[in-house]
Amino acid sequence: MPVLRILLINVTHPAIGSRIPDDHLPPLGLLAIGGPLIDDGHEVRLIDADLAPTPTRALVEAVVHFDPDIVLFGHSGSTSGHPVIAEVAAAVARARPDIAIVYGGVYPTYHWREVLLTEPHVTAIVCGEGEETTRRLVRAMAQRQPFDHLPGLAFLSDGRPVRTAPAPLIGNLDAYRIGWELIDHARYSYWGGMRAVVAQFSRGCPHQCTYCGQNLFWKRWRHRDPVAFARELARLHREEGVKVINLADENPTSSRRAWKAFLEALIAEDVDLTLVGSTRAGDIVRDADILHLYRKAGVIRFLLGLENTDAATLERIRKGSTTATDRQAIRLLRRHGIISMATSVVGFREEADRDYWRMLRQLLAYDPDQVQILYATPHRWTPYFDEEADRTTIQPDQRRWDYKHQVLATQQMAPWRVLVWVKFIEAALQCRPKALWRTYLQPDREQRHAMRWYTAMGRRVWPYEIVSFFRERRIRDGPSLRAFWTRTPGRQVAERPEGLPVQEMPAPRMSQLP
């Protein structure tokens, strides 16, 4: 098979989490695509523009200098990152129209019609899991063959967007390796300057919360081989000096058996690793008898998506948890020396002052070590979108749809009032005597470091969010949520049903194929 030059681009992301901290984590999604392509013999390179703000012109110059056959775009912050990807991809197409542009991720998977109609320079969109689909697409391109028969793709055919049948789920996640050699590990850190990577033990989530698209995107929960995953993390520590593992899983603990096997395998590797991630409070309560293994394996913090302190709201969004379980999980984690970060979501339709006051009282009763308040952000592919489709949109800038900005109007609260409550709750929780003691005086050195690092980030993010609020544009009488996400050209869109043929596509634009 001819060897292609493939360039992976991680664009500069506008989100607060990318721009404020000095720490940056590697783009796991692109590395997961890069490994199989390298193993297929292609020449692959990564440009990570998220390490520092990079002007579009500089990115295009780097693309032209490398002279690739294919440029692959993707980003973990898919919705808010799309405008940046769109700008860079269009600039690359203008500079080098012979280069094939491939785009993957959650946002293009669900918005493939709009992307193809407004960005016709995109050669193909990889829908869903990308490892095998991208390999097959690149193989077809290398052999100058049409790819319209391949599952998991969307593209233009005679000016009309079409999508092939969904690609089969990857059954064996260990069949595709991460292309760690594409990065310089010394440039990536987390947890206050500690060398770090993002890793993924599992994909998906067995729960069906209405606001989340994990279940829809990944289809079903799957996990890697626990022993092989532990061995990979240990190698990264021994050979690359990696100290922190940030688990990208939505719910790595879904299977107690698999998670316990991983913890035991990592403990057997005897490496000094720090693990942070997110899980469900119910899993922590379920694992009360093995939480000592969590800590022994290196788990130092788990984010618990509490979402709300109101039982009726939890039931409506199908969270599958209770306030009693949430409170118990936090206490269990503390008992075992593991930091709890509680996330709560605001911006629901009928919230009023009394709801924020209840939230503050409940969070104080929960007594989490850290807290993060997010804004309800109904993406179009979630059931929550249909529930909220008639609500008024107040944030027209898609780059702000990152859970850290209020995007929908609430009936009883002006945006400034919501912000005041959010900042007040955060300050009240983090400035409690208990929280201050845990941050500055507790004897456990590792926990003290974690608390101080998070507090230092908060001191930078907190005023940044307030200043940004007054600088950003909001609209009073914006379109409905449904109208906001259906602003596309009035052109017919065709989707190819499974098993039906489509018109054969010509060979894609390529630069000097061998």
Side-chain angles (χ1 to χ4, degrees):
M1 179 174 65
V3 175
L4 300 186
R5 293 168 63 85
I6 302 171
L7 185 61
L8 312 176
I9 297 183
N10 187 37
V11 300
T12 301
H13 198 279
I16 294 172
S18 291
R19 302 281 57 88
I20 293 297
D22 297 322
D23 292 317
H24 288 276
L25 291 163
L28 177 63
L30 287 174
L31 299 183
I33 299 299
L37 293 177
I38 292 172
D39 292 345
D40 282 350
H42 300 294
E43 183 180 352
V44 183
R45 184 177 299 178
L46 168 72
I47 294 179
D48 190 355
D50 204 33
L51 285 168
T54 305
T56 298
R57 179 186 299 178
L59 271 178
V60 173
E61 290 175 354
V63 171
V64 172
H65 177 74
F66 180 62
D67 190 27
D69 299 302
I70 304 172
V71 171
L72 270 162
F73 288 96
H75 206 291
S76 57
S78 200
T79 296
S80 53
H82 172 71
V84 185
I85 291 177
E87 177 185 333
V88 176
V92 169
R94 287 193 298 269
R96 288 287 303 274
D98 56 318
I99 294 176
I101 295 176
V102 177
Y103 187 12
V106 178
Y107 180 85
T109 291
Y110 291 105
H111 289 260
W112 57 274
R113 294 179 177 89
E114 294 90 340
V115 172
L116 291 170
L117 286 172
T118 58
E119 302 165 46
H121 49 268
V122 173
T123 307
I125 290 174
V126 175
C127 301
E129 292 178 304
E131 290 91 337
E132 184 59 31
T133 301
T134 305
R135 290 180 74 180
R136 293 175 178 177
L137 173 63
V138 170
R139 187 177 299 121
M141 289 180 167
Q143 297 172 348
R144 305 184 71 86
Q145 297 295 318
F147 49 74
D148 61 298
H149 63 288
L150 299 177
L153 294 175
F155 45 84
L156 287 175
S157 176
D158 294 330
R160 299 169 63 231
V162 296
R163 179 173 173 175
T164 62
L169 286 181
I170 295 175
N172 179 13
L173 297 179
D174 293 289
Y176 305 89
R177 72 175 187 87
I178 308 298
W180 296 116
E181 66 268 42
L182 290 168
I183 64 171
D184 176 2
H185 284 275
R187 302 185 70 190
Y188 295 93
S189 64
Y190 192 61
W191 219 240
M194 301 167 69
R195 190 170 295 192
V197 298
V198 183
Q200 190 179 46
F201 174 60
S202 66
R203 290 182 177 178
C205 181
H207 305 278
Q208 298 185 14
C209 304
T210 62
Y211 57 85
C212 180
Q214 285 283 327
N215 183 270
L216 297 170
F217 185 81
W218 299 113
K219 305 303 181 187
R220 61 182 175 84
W221 189 85
R222 292 151 289 153
H223 65 84
R224 291 190 54 185
D225 177 87
V227 175
F229 186 62
R231 188 183 305 123
E232 180 177 353
L233 301 188
R235 186 199 69 78
L236 288 170
H237 174 75
R238 295 183 180 117
E239 297 180 12
E240 304 294 348
V242 171
K243 174 64 177 175
V244 179
I245 306 297
N246 190 331
L247 293 173
D249 310 43
E250 185 75 12
N251 195 9
T253 59
S254 288
S255 166
R256 173 184 164 99
R257 178 191 58 78
W259 179 247
K260 183 173 181 286
F262 161 66
L263 294 175
E264 291 172 339
L266 191 58
I267 291 169
E269 291 286 349
D270 192 26
V271 288
D272 185 19
L273 280 172
T274 296
L275 275 65
V276 297
S278 64
T279 190
R280 291 175 62 90
D283 288 3
I284 296 300
V285 174
R286 178 202 67 195
D287 289 349
D289 61 322
I290 62 169
L291 286 178
H292 64 286
L293 296 179
Y294 281 53
R295 191 67 192 92
K296 189 174 182 180
V299 175
I300 187 62
R301 186 187 77 186
F302 259 130
L303 181 152
L304 302 176
L306 308 186
E307 318 316 348
N308 206 273
T309 57
D310 177 55
T313 300
L314 291 174
E315 183 177 357
R316 188 173 70 251
I317 63 178
R318 287 187 257 163
K319 178 63 181 175
S321 183
T322 66
T323 54
T325 299
D326 294 341
R327 186 181 297 110
Q328 185 181 0
I330 291 170
R331 292 174 179 172
L332 283 170
L333 289 175
R334 179 169 295 122
R335 190 181 305 163
H336 290 83
I338 301 173
I339 292 171
S340 61
M341 172 186 275
T343 65
S344 193
V345 179
V346 300
F348 292 103
R349 185 187 299 256
E350 297 179 354
E351 284 177 343
D353 289 324
R354 61 180 178 276
D355 297 297
Y356 287 91
W357 178 245
R358 186 201 66 249
M359 175 184 291
L360 173 59
R361 294 179 61 188
Q362 285 277 44
L363 287 174
L364 287 170
Y366 286 174
D367 190 26
D369 298 301
Q370 300 171 354
V371 65
Q372 182 176 185
I373 299 180
L374 307 175
Y375 292 90
T377 307
H379 296 292
R380 201 177 68 184
W381 54 84
T382 63
Y384 182 53
F385 176 90
D386 293 325
E387 297 172 9
E388 303 293 292
D390 63 331
R391 285 182 63 183
T392 299
T393 301
I394 63 172
Q395 179 49 260
D397 188 349
Q398 187 179 333
R399 294 171 299 175
R400 302 291 177 259
W401 287 63
D402 59 359
Y403 299 97
K404 293 298 290 180
H405 297 81
Q406 184 180 351
V407 298
L408 298 179
T410 51
Q411 291 181 349
Q412 303 182 53
M413 305 280 287
W416 69 266
R417 197 175 186 87
V418 174
L419 177 73
V420 168
W421 268 113
V422 167
K423 295 297 124 185
F424 173 68
I425 292 172
E426 289 176 344
L429 285 161
Q430 297 301 145
C431 294
R432 294 170 299 152
K434 286 182 180 180
L436 293 174
W437 182 86
R438 291 167 189 155
T439 302
Y440 298 106
L441 298 176
Q442 68 168 304
D444 188 292
R445 180 182 59 83
E446 192 173 5
Q447 290 191 52
R448 194 169 63 246
H449 167 81
M451 291 295 294
R452 289 185 178 183
W453 174 73
Y454 185 73
T455 300
M457 289 299 100
R459 284 198 298 266
R460 297 171 63 183
V461 170
W462 206 81
Y464 178 88
E465 289 182 321
I466 294 175
V467 172
S468 297
F469 177 85
F470 292 102
R471 289 179 176 175
E472 290 166 359
R473 174 175 172 258
R474 278 171 296 278
I475 48 180
R476 184 183 301 271
D477 298 316
S480 69
L481 177 65
R482 188 183 305 279
F484 179 83
W485 283 116
T486 53
R487 299 172 301 172
T488 56
R491 301 167 64 182
Q492 185 179 1
V493 176
E495 181 165 0
R496 173 192 173 192
E498 185 172 359
L500 295 182
V502 298
Q503 181 179 353
E504 184 173 288
M505 293 290 293
R509 298 168 298 172
M510 304 291 287
S511 64
Q512 300 178 352
L513 287 174

